[in-house]
Amino acid sequence: MASAGILSLASTSLTSPARSSPPAARFDTLDAWFAALTQPTALTELAALIVCVLLAWLVARVASRARRVADNESSILFGRRIIDGVLFPLLLLSFGYAAQALLARVAPLAVFKVAIPVLLSLALIRLGAKVLQVAFKKAPWAAALERTISWLAWIAMVLWVSGLLPVILEELDNIHWKVGNSTLSVRTLLEGVLTASLVLLITLWISSAIEARLLRQATGSELSLRKAISNATRVVLMFVGLLLALSSVGIDLTALSVLGGAIGVGVGFGLQKLAASYVSGFVMLAERSVRIGDNVRVDSFEGRITDINARYTVVRAASGRESIVPNEMFISNRIENLSLTDSRVLQATVVSVGYDSDAALVMGLLKAAAQKQGRVLRDPEPSAALTNFGPDGLEFTLNYWIIDPENGQQNLRSDINLRVLQSLREHKIEIPYPQRVLHTRSIPGEPAAPAEAAAPAGPTRPATPA
């Protein structure tokens, strides 16, 4: 077996004394523990433990100030506070091991037999909690998994201190069975699960640190490329870490070839949509045809891309609604990217005025109404044109460009329309009602009623009943 596992390493690290040290004392009863903790040497151990705490806190504080990451929730090492991150419990555990090795040469230990398991459990809890918080920020199951890690760590610590852990491990080792050429036991499986969990936590830590460094101060196409690199790095690290964990337990990786072939067939047939979305996500990020921050129209839904994950892309509309779009749609369907090569967006509004209006004056008023808005670009400048001779009046089209559609388009169009309406009223320019032609038919034997050639489609008075 390549590795004895985390539990066996942890149990032997405390039970085996250092060379040239006095024999390790055994405390099998509560009276023995009480007698050992009331010895004068226990005060020395307690003082050494307090020094380790202060020294770890001082080193962590100096490191956080040097890195300028104080109150950074996304930092695994430092966290929101000094004691919230992983650095402080790791330093405290290291200093505790060093103090234990030094004091073990002088006298039997009692305080450190309890302190070291507590510090190790604290370090594992903070490592699991911070890595899960950073790697899975919005996952609903992350909090439950954190509590599970905490409970398991404290239970293992209690079993360790009470001396029941070696007995339980020995009993679990007696429950074994043969799988092919390998012999597995419950203890081996338990050690494999713990080793795999620890390896996956470390790989998630490394991938989160790489992602944070790559995505720092990145925008546009550079952000999408770095996002692709970080996603690929995370997948590769987790895959390699899982293989290392399996090999450390003693599982022959060549025996997984049949399972890998079956999984490949299943992905090819039953999970082809899911596999296509994952592959499409990496293709999108690599070729940068769709980037974070682009304004796109997907299946009649228009919005701004806020995130590109391995399987799906989040598109947020100006109204606040978010659409979860599978990445396969961006590869296999026609997608309108409104800001692929140019982030400017053209908007237009149509105004109809009477035929007796001054066309040049109307075009000047339309351009002036657009130019008074700060979000309208000056280059290219707004333009107005007579585009149609309508049945009711002259139709003018006002065109203008904006560069920030994510701030809303209807609000800007409304402001421009209100300004146009105000300008037309100030200059006594009529906005005509639609004209409708009425045809009447005379009934034989009755005098024909006079018919109007045309009547405006404005408000009419209701007919009076006879």
Side-chain angles (χ1 to χ4, degrees):
M1 188 176 296
S3 174
I6 297 177
L7 293 178
S8 58
L9 288 176
S11 59
T12 55
S13 62
L14 288 184
T15 56
S16 58
R19 292 183 179 179
S20 69
S21 61
R26 294 181 58 87
F27 309 109
D28 298 329
T29 62
L30 292 178
D31 294 337
W33 273 107
F34 181 78
L37 293 176
T38 54
Q39 293 295 325
T41 55
L43 297 178
T44 305
E45 295 181 62
L46 185 61
L49 184 61
I50 295 176
V51 171
C52 292
V53 173
L54 295 177
L55 187 59
W57 181 84
L58 180 62
V59 174
R61 183 176 179 83
V62 171
S64 64
R65 288 189 174 184
R67 295 292 301 275
R68 298 179 181 179
V69 292
D71 300 330
N72 190 354
E73 188 175 357
S74 62
S75 175
I76 297 178
L77 280 177
F78 301 95
R80 295 186 299 269
R81 300 176 302 275
I82 294 179
I83 61 175
D84 180 61
V86 181
L87 181 61
F88 174 75
L90 289 180
L91 289 174
L92 183 55
L93 181 61
S94 302
F95 293 151
Y97 267 117
Q100 181 192 30
L102 293 177
L103 294 177
R105 300 174 180 273
V106 180
L109 301 180
V111 175
F112 276 94
K113 282 186 174 295
V114 180
I116 293 300
V118 172
L119 297 181
L120 182 58
S121 301
L122 180 62
L124 291 177
I125 291 172
R126 295 316 307 157
L127 175 62
K130 293 304 297 181
V131 170
L132 292 175
Q133 288 176 7
V134 174
F136 308 101
K137 297 179 181 179
K138 300 180 180 179
W141 47 266
L145 189 56
E146 292 176 18
R147 290 192 294 268
T148 303
I149 294 175
S150 301
W151 278 103
L152 291 177
W154 290 123
I155 291 174
M157 184 271 298
V158 172
L159 295 176
W160 193 350
V161 172
S162 61
L164 295 176
L165 185 60
V167 178
I168 295 177
L169 292 179
E170 185 177 357
E171 293 296 328
L172 293 178
D173 199 19
N174 293 330
I175 306 174
H176 55 81
W177 59 91
K178 192 173 183 61
V179 179
N181 297 327
S182 302
T183 301
L184 299 179
S185 63
V186 178
R187 176 178 178 177
T188 304
L189 294 179
L190 183 60
E191 291 176 352
V193 171
L194 293 179
T195 305
S197 302
L198 183 59
V199 170
L200 290 179
L201 284 177
I202 295 176
T203 54
L204 284 175
W205 183 1
I206 297 175
S207 62
S208 299
I210 294 175
E211 182 177 1
R213 183 173 295 272
L214 286 176
L215 299 184
R216 186 180 303 167
Q217 299 178 352
T219 57
S221 60
E222 184 181 2
L223 176 61
S224 300
L225 181 60
R226 294 189 178 190
K227 183 74 173 179
I229 297 175
S230 64
N231 287 344
T233 304
R234 172 172 295 187
V235 172
V236 171
L237 287 177
M238 293 186 66
F239 180 73
V240 173
L242 185 59
L243 293 181
L244 292 176
L246 292 176
S247 62
S248 65
V249 180
I251 297 177
D252 188 7
L253 298 181
T254 58
L256 300 178
S257 57
V258 178
L259 179 61
I263 294 176
V265 174
V267 170
F269 289 96
L271 303 177
Q272 55 182 346
K273 290 289 185 181
L274 184 62
S277 294
Y278 275 99
V279 175
S280 299
F282 287 104
V283 172
M284 289 165 49
L285 292 172
E287 68 182 11
R288 289 177 287 180
S289 59
V290 178
R291 303 158 299 184
I292 298 176
D294 284 353
N295 293 282
V296 297
R297 184 180 290 110
V298 184
D299 195 17
S300 71
F301 187 88
E302 181 177 343
R304 182 171 178 265
I305 295 178
T306 57
D307 193 13
I308 300 178
N309 294 303
R311 187 186 64 84
Y312 63 88
T313 297
V314 181
V315 181
R316 181 180 178 85
S319 60
R321 295 182 302 151
E322 290 185 334
S323 177
I324 308 299
V325 184
N327 292 329
E328 182 191 6
M329 294 186 62
F330 288 90
I331 301 299
S332 59
N333 296 346
R334 175 181 175 271
I335 304 299
E336 295 185 32
N337 193 334
L338 307 181
S339 55
L340 178 60
T341 58
D342 193 349
S343 59
R344 297 178 299 179
V345 177
L346 177 66
Q347 283 190 320
T349 183
V350 179
V351 180
S352 180
V353 299
Y355 274 98
D356 57 347
S357 303
D358 186 354
L361 177 61
V362 173
M363 290 190 293
L365 294 177
L366 294 179
K367 290 192 293 184
Q371 290 173 348
K372 290 184 179 297
Q373 302 297 325
R375 292 177 55 192
V376 176
L377 297 180
R378 300 300 184 265
D379 184 20
E381 63 178 0
S383 63
L386 176 60
T387 54
N388 193 19
F389 294 96
D392 306 318
L394 300 175
E395 292 184 359
F396 292 86
T397 302
L398 172 63
N399 297 307
Y400 53 92
W401 294 85
I402 61 174
I403 200 172
D404 55 347
E406 65 275 3
N407 294 329
Q409 302 183 40
Q410 292 184 355
N411 54 354
L412 178 61
R413 182 180 284 110
S414 175
D415 294 340
I416 293 178
N417 288 339
L418 290 174
R419 183 63 184 176
V420 169
L421 180 61
Q422 180 182 359
S423 300
L424 294 180
R425 287 177 177 176
E426 290 177 353
H427 290 81
K428 308 299 182 182
I429 297 176
E430 179 187 5
I431 300 178
Y433 290 104
Q435 303 295 317
R436 298 294 181 265
V437 178
L438 302 179
H439 298 277
T440 61
R441 179 180 298 176
S442 59
I443 301 176
E446 293 186 4
E452 297 181 358
T460 58
R461 183 175 302 173
T464 305

